[in-house]
Amino acid sequence: MIFHEGRVGYVVDGDIDASEPIDVRDSIKTGTVPRSRIRVHGSRTAKYAVVFADVGAIAVSMCLAAWARDRLVTSPEPLGPMVKTGLASLLIWPIVFGRYRLYTTAAISSASSEVTRVVHAMAAGVVLTGVTSLVLAQAVSRVWLLLLMVLGALAVLAERGATRGFFRRARERGRLQRPVIVVGTNAEALGIAQMLRDDPSLGFRVLGLLDCSNTIHEVPEVPVLGHWHDAVQIVDDLDATGVIIATSAIDTGTANRLARDLIEIGCHVELTSGLVDISADRLLPHPLGTRPVVYVEPIRRFGWRAVAKRGFDLLLAVFLLIVTLPILIVSIVLIKLDSKGPLFFTQPRLGRNGVIFGVRKLRTMVVGAERMLDELRDQSDADGPLFKMRNDPRVTRVGRTLRRLSIDELPQLWNVVVGDMSIVGPRPALPAEAELWTDEMGARLRVKPGITGMWQVSGRSALSFEDYVRNDLYYVDNWTLLTDLAIVAKTVPVVFLGRGAC
């Protein structure tokens, strides 16, 4: 759908409708687009609910800490001081959590940042609880305070995890959505709008774009609401609660002026960094003279981190080889009974720094399958250099089951043991695929390839080649040990449910 004349579009509840065109400004005045449909409801109530949930988690933790203290320490302690101190300090905890910005959505947009802030807030809260006991002249056990720190952090994180899940499901159903306007009509602005529309769990509903050029451009599938200099009026007319400014679409002076004007009317303003596929956890805003700048933390893949990753790989690979040995034996017998040919399939792949090694798999195809590839390449279900065919005629009957459950990948655990691969990393590519890579894709070879990775847990063969590249480069550029642990945890349901396998 194309939108002309700035404010003319097809808008119903902030989304595109295939009905007759309307003027956005005039439609609001005449009641064509009801304000109640594009206004956020319940956000303040939701925040209060989180506050009460946090206080409840802390109260439960205090009780559990008192119970655990009695079990761990032989000398009895009266409950009176702990009860009085606990009740008095409950009023302090929401203030502490607020001080650590645990009620600011932007500060806890990622789970890792929320975990860090919860741990720091718990430490501060326990210290203030101890101070409260001194002010009230109530002697409380240090063991109780220490247990409160540990149990409280676990309880709050569990409660916050459940809350995140509730909000995510509500947003996916179209509730608790923040109506926003994106400033810009360039590729970055369109990418932001498309991302927010494709993933409603992020909690944003894009009402439209604002053009930053002298003439309003036609933009497919997204309503252009007007010029940026009418932003304040348009935000007020549409009851938008937030504005996202694509900084690559607008000059610095204009962005500053626009941000100040929008903040003045109580609008939430977010500016893009212009960076792509850089984890937000690596961005540290700080002043440089009179200008706010963002420092990008470097990724360190050497030293103790490299030793820890190698140790993690060895331990998990050896453990999985032992645990899955019966599955391997049964699979080998079935392969032998199902078709003629070798039990294992070894194929040259690119390792770290482009070193070629032999990747091992259980054979899932007929003998001579590689010679048949040229005849089937036009039928590939994947775009780009990758070849993926959902109903590949070369795959044997047993092979389809082994592939769906990723059992054919188990021999690669030996590649991990000998150091050719890692448990987590980019998919090991064929040398022929690398010949079609762009210079940017060569960055995949900075790390060892992995048995599982972001591509596998994000959809595997269901993803486009562009998504495949983006996921691998994101992993290479933002690797941490926690990322590896998270990917391994996500791999389990992906494997058992066979998501994206072909």
Side-chain angles (χ1 to χ4, degrees):
M1 197 66 66
I2 304 297
F3 294 83
H4 304 277
E5 303 301 325
R7 302 185 185 96
V8 176
Y10 302 91
V11 181
V12 173
D13 290 351
D15 292 324
I16 301 171
D17 184 27
S19 58
E20 59 184 70
I22 59 174
D23 186 282
V24 175
R25 294 274 195 87
D26 293 341
S27 66
I28 292 176
K29 295 176 182 178
T30 59
T32 307
V33 180
R35 289 177 179 267
S36 60
R37 292 189 180 182
I38 53 178
R39 188 191 299 272
V40 170
H41 293 285
S43 59
R44 192 179 298 273
T45 303
K47 183 171 291 189
Y48 289 152
V50 175
V51 172
F52 283 117
D54 287 341
V55 172
I58 295 297
V60 171
S61 301
M62 289 178 177
C63 296
L64 289 175
W67 175 83
R69 191 263 173 205
D70 286 344
R71 297 297 182 275
L72 295 174
V73 181
T74 56
S75 58
E77 181 179 2
L79 289 176
M82 286 187 285
V83 172
K84 293 177 182 178
T85 300
L87 289 175
S89 66
L90 281 180
L91 299 176
I92 298 174
W93 286 94
I95 300 173
V96 173
F97 279 24
R99 174 66 181 81
Y100 281 88
R101 304 180 70 183
L102 283 167
Y103 302 118
T104 303
T105 304
I108 56 173
S109 56
S110 69
S112 59
S113 63
E114 186 172 33
V115 169
T116 302
R117 291 180 183 276
V118 166
V119 172
H120 290 168
M122 284 301 306
V126 167
V127 170
L128 290 176
T129 300
V131 172
T132 302
S133 69
L134 295 177
V135 172
L136 298 178
Q138 301 293 322
V140 296
S141 169
R142 295 177 185 175
V143 176
W144 178 68
L145 292 174
L146 181 60
L147 289 170
L148 175 59
M149 168 70 189
V150 176
L151 296 175
L154 294 175
V156 171
L157 288 174
E159 167 254 313
R160 289 258 169 165
T163 302
R164 271 182 177 273
F166 171 79
F167 284 153
R168 182 176 61 253
R169 289 188 294 272
R171 288 164 178 164
E172 288 173 348
R173 293 194 294 267
R175 301 172 56 196
L176 301 177
Q177 298 282 334
R178 174 183 293 179
V180 297
I181 294 172
V182 178
V183 176
T185 53
N186 65 345
E188 183 185 21
L190 288 172
I192 293 169
Q194 189 62 50
M195 176 187 66
L196 297 180
R197 287 188 172 215
D198 290 345
D199 190 357
S201 67
L202 294 173
F204 294 88
R205 186 170 70 238
V206 178
L207 302 180
L209 308 177
L210 297 183
D211 205 333
C212 300
S213 59
N214 293 326
T215 58
I216 295 178
H217 293 83
E218 297 176 351
V219 178
E221 298 185 1
V222 184
V224 179
L225 305 175
H227 288 288
W228 70 265
H229 48 69
D230 294 324
V232 173
Q233 185 61 47
I234 294 174
V235 166
D236 182 62
D237 287 346
L238 293 180
D239 286 334
T241 62
V243 169
I244 301 173
I245 301 176
T247 53
S248 62
I250 193 170
D251 63 83
T252 304
T254 302
N256 276 283
R257 172 186 167 187
L258 185 57
R260 285 195 298 267
D261 291 345
L262 292 169
I263 292 172
E264 188 66 25
I265 64 171
C267 183
H268 297 280
V269 178
E270 299 179 70
L271 290 86
T272 65
S273 67
L275 298 171
V276 180
D277 293 336
I278 299 293
S279 173
D281 293 335
R282 294 174 56 200
L283 305 181
L284 299 176
H286 69 97
L288 183 63
T290 58
R291 290 178 176 267
V293 297
V294 175
Y295 171 74
V296 182
E297 284 191 332
I299 289 296
R300 297 177 176 87
R301 305 187 189 96
F302 46 85
W304 70 267
R305 295 173 180 82
V307 174
K309 182 175 177 65
R310 180 59 180 154
F312 171 75
D313 286 342
L314 277 174
L315 288 174
L316 188 55
V318 171
F319 171 76
L320 290 176
L321 277 173
I322 295 172
V323 171
T324 59
L325 184 58
I327 299 176
L328 274 171
I329 294 173
V330 172
S331 299
I332 288 172
V333 172
L334 292 175
I335 291 172
K336 194 65 177 176
L337 294 175
D338 182 56
S339 61
K340 295 181 179 180
L343 299 175
F344 295 94
F345 174 70
T346 302
Q347 189 178 46
R349 298 281 179 134
L350 291 177
R352 185 178 182 183
N353 298 324
V355 176
I356 296 179
F357 71 99
V359 70
R360 297 171 177 84
K361 291 186 177 184
L362 291 175
R363 183 177 60 83
T364 59
M365 291 186 175
V366 297
V367 176
E370 289 189 301
R371 294 193 297 270
M372 302 167 59
L373 181 60
D374 291 338
E375 302 174 7
L376 299 172
R377 193 170 293 279
D378 293 339
Q379 303 177 45
S380 176
D381 295 321
D383 55 348
L386 290 177
F387 178 83
K388 292 290 180 181
M389 190 173 178
R390 191 162 297 278
N391 295 311
D392 195 327
R394 302 173 300 165
V395 180
T396 63
R397 291 176 299 175
V398 171
R400 294 191 187 281
T401 301
L402 298 181
R403 283 179 164 228
R404 187 173 66 253
L405 298 176
S406 297
I407 295 174
D408 62 317
E409 310 281 351
L410 289 178
Q412 293 176 35
L413 291 169
W414 182 250
N415 287 110
V416 175
V417 172
V418 299
D420 294 330
M421 295 178 64
S422 177
I423 292 293
V424 181
R427 171 185 173 272
L430 292 165
E433 293 174 356
E435 294 177 1
L436 303 176
W437 284 359
T438 61
D439 292 340
E440 182 185 29
M441 291 177 62
R444 300 172 75 254
L445 301 179
R446 293 174 185 168
V447 299
K448 292 180 182 179
I451 295 178
T452 185
M454 297 196 72
W455 175 71
Q456 286 88 339
V457 300
S458 300
R460 299 164 80 184
S461 303
L463 296 181
S464 67
F465 180 71
E466 182 181 353
D467 291 329
Y468 155 72
V469 173
R470 192 187 72 248
N471 282 327
D472 280 348
L473 292 180
Y474 184 90
Y475 174 82
V476 172
D477 291 338
N478 301 283
W479 170 82
T480 64
L481 288 172
L482 287 177
T483 301
D484 279 7
L485 292 173
I487 290 175
V488 169
K490 291 180 179 179
T491 299
V492 176
V494 169
V495 169
F496 280 107
L497 296 177
R499 295 172 185 167
C502 74

